[in-house]
Amino acid sequence: MKSDTIQFYTINLASFFSQLAIAMINLTLVYHLRYHYDLPSAMIGLAAAMSPTSYLLSCLVKGRLPSNLRPRHAIMLSLAGMGTSILVLLSVHNLAVTYLCLFLYGMWMSFLWPHVEEWFSRGKEGEALSRAANGFNVSWSLGVAISSYLAGLLIERSTILAFLVSISFFVVVFVGIWVVSILVPAIRMVPGETTHIETSQLSDRSTPLRFYAWIGIVVLYGGMSIILTIFPLYAHEELLLRESHVGLLLLIRGITSCISFYLLGRFSFWHFKKSLIFLVQALFALLCFSALRFSSLLFYGIFFLLFGVLFSFAYTQSIFHGSSGAIRRSERMIIHEILLTIGIILGSVGGGWFYQKFGFTNVLLAVGTLGAIAVGGELIISIYIRTRIRYNGA
């Protein structure tokens, strides 16, 4: 249907520009706190964790309130709140106010991604769900890819300019959704999830593989947080790389992730494959151990390229297996978002403290070790469950 096509592109364009703005803000924040407040890396890591912590708490405490909102209303509310929070952050040169703005910024963000993910996955299973997730993943990952290099260029001129450009993207998405909802009645009438469930005959057919995939998203997002928060400091202070060079490395990771997301959406070989979930996590740990002796821009470029592939696998496995067969998909998407947020917090706070105390090499060593422990524990649990099933069957 024509309205379905318009809805597909509306969701994906909104995801692209929203993530473009969010990723630019995340990278700009690291340099803004260093340049304007001269904060040490541990304090920068703590500040970077403020909005993910608020995001996590908001997802936990708001219950089913957002399920009663129409998806477009929740998204527009989120965009207005995030844009206002960053605008206030720029207007007041006070560290306490900055932390408060970051807390509010994360709170408003909690109305964005769970609703976008519930909206595109609603009523879809199997190949249809995979295609819808593919469109979403390619859109937001492309936004991340472009944001890294664009933010690097803008930050070299002014962190204030980078923030203002990011806010302008929030405005573009807000106006775009508002206009489309006026012009397309089918989108304007999309109900909240609670209403949709009450008017549909649904039964739960969830897969237990989601639990393994959720562990993977915590581990990989911890690595992602370190790359986005701690690596720019390391590259600036020890590798002596310019901001645009750091942005280029992040661009490599972003484009690789985007291409990987697209390919995963085209193929189904990874659907419901427990061995691939374990393999992705094991390869991530191995990649961290391999990077311990990296010192050149070329080798870090290879690292970012490979990380982009593994990250896209872990993210797609989590969002697909988490939503497949579920009735209340917003709740599953909230779990997905909570877990990746835990990874972000652990990476930014723990990584910042580790980097300040022990250096970036030991940060990689710690992350790789945790990844190896996680996949080892999952293998033991999987073998135990399979043994119990065979024993009970016998």
Side-chain angles (χ1 to χ4, degrees):
M1 294 176 62
K2 184 178 180 180
S3 60
D4 291 336
T5 302
I6 295 174
Q7 178 174 285
F8 176 83
Y9 285 108
T10 298
I11 293 173
N12 292 330
L13 284 172
S15 300
F16 167 75
F17 283 107
S18 297
Q19 188 59 66
L20 174 60
I22 290 170
M24 286 181 62
I25 289 170
N26 290 342
L27 183 58
T28 304
L29 180 66
V30 175
Y31 292 102
H32 183 77
L33 294 174
R34 177 69 90 192
Y35 296 161
H36 289 259
Y37 295 103
D38 195 27
L39 294 182
S41 57
M43 290 296 294
I44 291 176
L46 181 62
M50 187 63 66
S51 57
T53 301
S54 172
Y55 182 88
L56 171 64
L57 294 175
S58 298
C59 286
L60 289 171
V61 304
K62 65 186 181 182
R64 292 187 177 180
L65 169 64
S67 298
N68 298 318
L69 293 173
R70 295 181 186 272
R72 64 186 179 90
H73 289 160
I75 293 169
M76 293 170 72
L77 176 65
S78 174
L79 295 168
M82 288 192 295
T84 302
S85 299
I86 298 302
L87 193 59
V88 173
L89 182 150
L90 297 179
S91 304
V92 181
H93 188 78
N94 181 282
L95 189 57
V97 174
T98 297
Y99 275 68
L100 176 61
C101 289
L102 291 174
F103 187 87
L104 294 174
Y105 173 74
M107 181 193 73
W108 291 118
M109 194 189 300
S110 69
F111 286 87
L112 178 63
W113 296 123
H115 288 276
V116 171
E117 292 160 0
E118 186 275 326
W119 193 4
F120 79 69
S121 67
R122 182 179 293 184
K124 298 180 178 65
E125 294 290 349
E127 295 294 336
L129 175 60
S130 183
R131 285 194 298 270
N134 169 57
F136 169 70
N137 289 337
V138 169
S139 298
W140 74 258
S141 63
L142 183 60
V144 173
I146 295 175
S147 73
S148 303
Y149 191 64
L150 177 59
L153 294 176
L154 293 172
I155 290 168
E156 287 187 352
R157 297 174 64 90
S158 168
T159 57
I160 303 297
L161 176 62
F163 277 133
L164 290 176
V165 172
S166 302
I167 294 172
S168 71
F169 289 134
F170 286 144
V171 175
V172 168
V173 178
F174 184 97
V175 173
I177 293 178
W178 178 66
V179 170
V180 170
S181 65
I182 292 175
L183 299 177
V184 184
I187 291 181
R188 186 168 66 249
M189 298 306 295
V190 172
E193 185 186 32
T194 300
T195 303
H196 170 69
I197 292 172
E198 291 173 349
T199 56
S200 305
Q201 298 296 324
L202 301 173
S203 59
D204 188 81
R205 293 174 292 162
S206 303
T207 170
L209 293 182
R210 66 186 184 275
F211 298 110
Y212 299 120
W214 284 343
I215 292 174
I217 201 67
V218 174
V219 173
L220 269 292
Y221 252 91
M224 167 73 85
S225 180
I226 288 170
I227 285 175
L228 295 180
T229 306
I230 309 305
F231 180 79
L233 297 175
Y234 170 69
H236 175 72
E237 296 170 353
E238 299 189 36
L239 298 180
L240 304 180
L241 296 180
R242 296 173 59 186
E243 290 86 344
S244 56
H245 289 160
V246 175
L248 181 61
L249 286 174
L250 298 178
L251 176 64
I252 292 173
R253 185 216 61 83
I255 290 184
T256 304
S257 293
C258 187
I259 294 172
S260 300
F261 278 132
Y262 175 76
L263 294 176
L264 288 171
R266 302 284 294 180
F267 300 101
S268 60
F269 68 91
W270 55 273
H271 291 184
F272 308 107
K273 293 293 191 301
K274 181 167 57 176
S275 58
L276 279 178
I277 297 176
F278 293 162
L279 179 61
V280 167
Q281 298 172 33
L283 289 176
F284 169 69
L286 182 62
L287 180 63
C288 289
F289 293 141
S290 301
L292 293 177
R293 296 186 178 276
F294 286 179
S295 59
S296 70
L297 189 62
L298 173 62
F299 283 115
Y300 274 112
I302 295 173
F303 172 85
F304 276 65
L305 186 148
L306 295 176
F307 178 80
V309 175
L310 296 176
F311 170 80
S312 62
F313 260 98
Y315 187 94
T316 305
Q317 287 168 341
S318 175
I319 205 168
F320 177 83
H321 295 108
S323 60
S324 182
I327 296 177
R328 284 198 171 271
R329 299 201 171 180
S330 65
E331 293 182 358
R332 289 293 176 81
M333 294 303 99
I334 285 175
I335 293 173
H336 167 81
E337 292 294 324
I338 286 173
L339 292 173
L340 67 84
T341 304
I342 290 174
I344 291 174
I345 294 171
L346 292 176
S348 58
V349 177
W353 181 81
F354 244 79
Y355 173 60
Q356 184 171 308
K357 294 290 185 178
F358 306 108
F360 191 73
T361 298
N362 286 311
V363 172
L364 290 176
L365 179 62
V367 173
T369 301
L370 290 175
I373 292 173
V375 73
E378 290 174 81
L379 283 169
I380 293 172
I381 293 172
S382 176
I383 293 171
Y384 173 77
I385 292 174
R386 186 169 56 189
T387 302
R388 292 289 297 175
I389 291 173
R390 288 178 178 176
Y391 175 79
N392 291 332

